[in-house]
Amino acid sequence: MLDIAFIRNNADAVREAIKNKRCDLDLDALLAADRARRDAIVELDKKRARKNEIAQLIPKATKEERPVLIEEGKAVKAGLEQLEPVLASANQRFEELMLRVPSMPRPEVPVGRGEEDNVEIRKVGSPRAFAFTPKDHVELMTLHRMVNWDGPRKYAGGRSYALMGTGALLELAVTRLAVDTLVERGLTIVIPPVMVKERAMTGTGFFPLGREEAYSISADELFLVGTSEVPLVSLHCDDVFDHSSLPIRYAGISNCFRREAGAYGKDTKGLYRVHQFTKVEQVVFCMPDEAIAEREHYALLSNAEAILAKLEIPYRVAIACTGEIGLGQTRKHEVESWMPGRDDGKGAYNETHSCSTLGDFQARRSNIRVRMPDGSMGYPFTLNNTAVASPRILIPLLENHQNADGSITLPEALVPYMNGVRTLTPPA
RNA sequence: GGAGGAGUGGCCGAGUGGUCUAAGGCAGCGGUUUUGAAAACCGCCGACGGUGCAAGCUGUCCAGGGGUUCGAAUCCCUUCUCCUCCGCCA
């Protein structure tokens, strides 16, 4: 969502953004809807002004004038009743289209169509050269009895799983490690609701276009969030921040629910792509200033990298191209962790973190504002990044730290969170 | 789940059918005074939209939606949220 005045004045630039982001939106239809809406407003406002005028005249009118005015008032009212639906439908059309308007990518975002056009920025650590054939996470987790694969699929459906024993402990450990890292870096930990109303989904930009991705609780008109970004950003919907209260930095911890519609048959093996997972997510509100947002963005990125460093997982950072960044994102970096078992055992870098700046996209949709130093109103910028998402993060964790005998040597930083255990040995 | 009460600008709060064009206060902004600050005093000050080069003119908004009326913050219906009590409950 952008300011309609900005869209009118920069139609070509917006058109370019729509094309580069591969959005499905006809800008001319939007501009036409805007025109229709404004025409209806002009006409309706004239009638409403007359209505108000008559209403003020009647109390002061003489006995003779009064019935005449009341008659005219009735006529004006009838006219209004005809025009109001016209404006309502023009508005509806306009708002529908506005919800599909992308934010403008930042200049540094490479133009491209798909993943192959993302630009790698750096690699940190290097994939380990195994002196033996490494196992993938499915073999390792099965060997360690970390997962019950079959039971949940019978009663909870495909892509479901249950973490068992050390598997469950590992999830709690990496989660807590991430939380402690972020708290130490000044973020406020939040455990938010995971069931939210539609406005939270729309306000954060996941609806209407991503509706099929969300589980809905139809009896109560609630939706399960796919990330705590949704409740954390919505925490401040309708709020007006004072400029002195920004930035606000949160770390949310929640279960996340994704239908993975459209991913049928993709990554069905193991725990790479599941319907329910646990994620620690970073969310920032900051002043609407690109330089500030950039600083916050790279701070979020470095927080995630610090966690990967503690987990001793090799990774690479890439900046996503225009075709790969979402509707609201103005800039996105992906952090991909090295997973030795992926790609049929050849190993591959795969996404474990996604760091985004959204400009004022979410603030506009969620009606979050900030009182600027000059007293005017502004829309704050929002940013977010994964800190850790489990079980996906367990894949590189286990695969990178495995030994020839199937045991796992835990990274030093994780040991305290595993009650002092340094090595996980497969149960007999 | 049942009964009752409440929801007004960034915040507090007055307002029960027609000068509401929403009082008043706090906060904010500008100024006077002051070595500086505070205090005091003076002035400005809701949001969003439409129109206009501009000054301005104008519309909408009193939790959301719908209704009654020539006219609604005010009356009616409904939903949501909060509070009190009762019931149930980890």
Side-chain angles (χ1 to χ4, degrees):
Chain A
M1 176 122 67
L2 294 167
D3 186 349
I4 184 62
F6 175 88
I7 298 172
R8 278 185 222 131
N9 297 330
N10 301 275
D12 288 338
V14 175
R15 229 183 292 275
E16 184 75 4
I18 290 168
K19 191 184 110 212
N20 288 340
K21 284 183 127 185
R22 296 158 51 90
C23 298
D24 176 25
L25 172 65
D26 178 353
L27 192 67
D28 292 318
L30 174 65
L31 291 172
D34 177 45
R35 186 71 264 164
R37 172 188 72 109
R38 288 192 286 159
D39 290 346
I41 288 171
V42 169
E43 212 179 329
L44 196 58
D45 277 3
K46 273 190 230 158
K47 284 213 158 51
R48 282 174 169 164
R50 181 59 187 161
K51 178 191 95 164
N52 291 340
E53 211 177 340
I54 293 168
Q56 282 178 347
L57 286 174
I58 287 176
K60 292 179 249 171
T62 62
K63 260 201 201 82
E64 297 76 49
E65 292 167 336
R66 196 169 287 223
V68 181
L69 285 169
I70 288 179
E71 276 317 302
E72 189 189 348
K74 283 184 183 175
V76 170
K77 186 185 176 183
L80 281 174
E81 279 167 357
Q82 274 193 320
L83 277 174
E84 273 162 357
V86 174
L87 176 61
S89 68
N91 266 337
Q92 198 191 346
R93 169 90 179 128
F94 172 72
E95 277 156 23
E96 260 169 33
L97 290 166
M98 278 298 275
L99 286 177
R100 304 163 75 100
V101 175
S103 53
M104 306 291 285
R106 294 263 75 214
E108 69 267 32
V109 175
V111 174
R113 292 178 59 83
E115 213 175 320
E116 64 282 0
D117 297 318
N118 294 350
V119 177
E120 182 178 301
I121 290 183
R122 61 177 170 274
K123 277 196 171 86
V124 177
S126 41
R128 177 178 157 197
F130 287 94
F132 55 94
T133 306
K135 297 178 171 59
D136 70 15
H137 78 281
V138 177
E139 294 172 89
L140 287 168
M141 295 182 97
T142 303
L143 183 67
H144 285 260
R145 296 181 201 160
M146 289 180 180
V147 178
N148 184 327
W149 302 99
D150 300 332
R153 296 198 180 192
K154 285 183 282 185
Y155 66 80
R159 295 190 194 278
S160 59
Y161 62 96
L163 291 177
M164 314 285 291
T166 48
L169 289 175
L170 276 176
E171 173 160 305
L172 293 175
V174 294
T175 300
R176 189 60 202 263
L177 179 144
V179 165
D180 286 358
T181 304
L182 297 179
V183 168
E184 190 182 293
R185 290 175 173 231
L187 283 77
T188 301
I189 179 87
V190 182
I191 302 180
V194 294
M195 299 188 292
V196 300
K197 293 185 185 182
E198 178 163 354
R199 73 163 296 195
M201 301 299 280
T202 304
T204 46
F206 291 91
F207 280 11
L209 265 38
R211 203 171 243 280
E212 330 71 49
E213 246 322 285
Y215 288 101
S216 70
I217 301 167
S218 50
D220 296 286
E221 293 178 55
L222 293 171
F223 299 88
L224 291 173
V225 300
T227 166
S228 59
E229 171 193 342
V230 173
L232 292 201
V233 169
S234 301
L235 219 44
H236 292 292
C237 64
D238 300 331
D239 279 0
V240 179
F241 292 122
D242 188 77
H243 61 89
S244 62
S245 64
L246 296 179
I248 291 173
R249 304 185 182 98
Y250 289 139
I253 171 168
S254 80
N255 285 117
C256 302
F257 304 90
R258 299 186 183 181
R259 292 187 65 229
E260 299 294 350
Y264 301 113
K266 197 173 166 190
D267 304 315
T268 48
K269 193 187 171 201
L271 298 182
Y272 184 77
R273 189 180 297 276
V274 292
H275 287 310
Q276 177 184 336
F277 58 97
T278 301
K279 182 154 65 84
V280 180
E281 177 79 6
Q282 314 173 66
V283 167
V284 169
F285 299 85
C286 74
M287 290 295 281
D289 176 302
E290 293 294 350
I292 292 172
E294 193 173 298
R295 272 206 305 281
E296 295 292 334
H297 181 95
Y298 287 108
L300 292 186
L301 190 56
S302 86
N303 292 347
E305 293 190 57
I307 291 164
L308 282 179
K310 288 185 183 186
L311 295 177
E312 298 174 31
I313 293 171
Y315 63 90
R316 69 175 182 190
V317 179
I319 183 164
C321 71
T322 51
E324 285 284 299
I325 64 178
L327 187 70
Q329 295 160 353
T330 64
R331 164 178 50 221
K332 178 168 84 167
H333 286 85
E334 291 185 347
V335 177
E336 300 179 329
S337 296
W338 177 251
M339 304 186 187
R342 288 284 285 182
D343 207 3
D344 292 326
K346 292 195 287 287
Y349 285 102
N350 280 110
E351 183 179 336
T352 49
H353 300 68
S354 164
C355 185
S356 307
T357 301
L358 290 106
D360 61 11
F361 179 86
Q362 292 180 321
R364 284 182 180 279
R365 294 167 78 108
S366 298
N367 189 32
I368 301 168
R369 292 173 296 173
V370 56
R371 178 75 63 184
M372 304 294 279
D374 68 358
S376 67
M377 286 288 193
Y379 290 102
F381 283 8
T382 58
L383 304 95
N384 64 75
N385 187 15
T386 320
V388 83
S390 170
R392 187 176 283 189
I393 197 67
L394 301 185
I395 298 171
L397 181 72
L398 296 169
E399 290 180 357
N400 280 298
H401 296 296
Q402 62 179 302
N403 303 309
D405 63 357
S407 66
I408 315 278
T409 305
L410 293 176
E412 198 57 39
L414 207 49
V415 171
Y417 294 101
M418 288 295 285
N419 303 318
V421 173
R422 289 175 183 282
T423 305
L424 303 178
T425 40

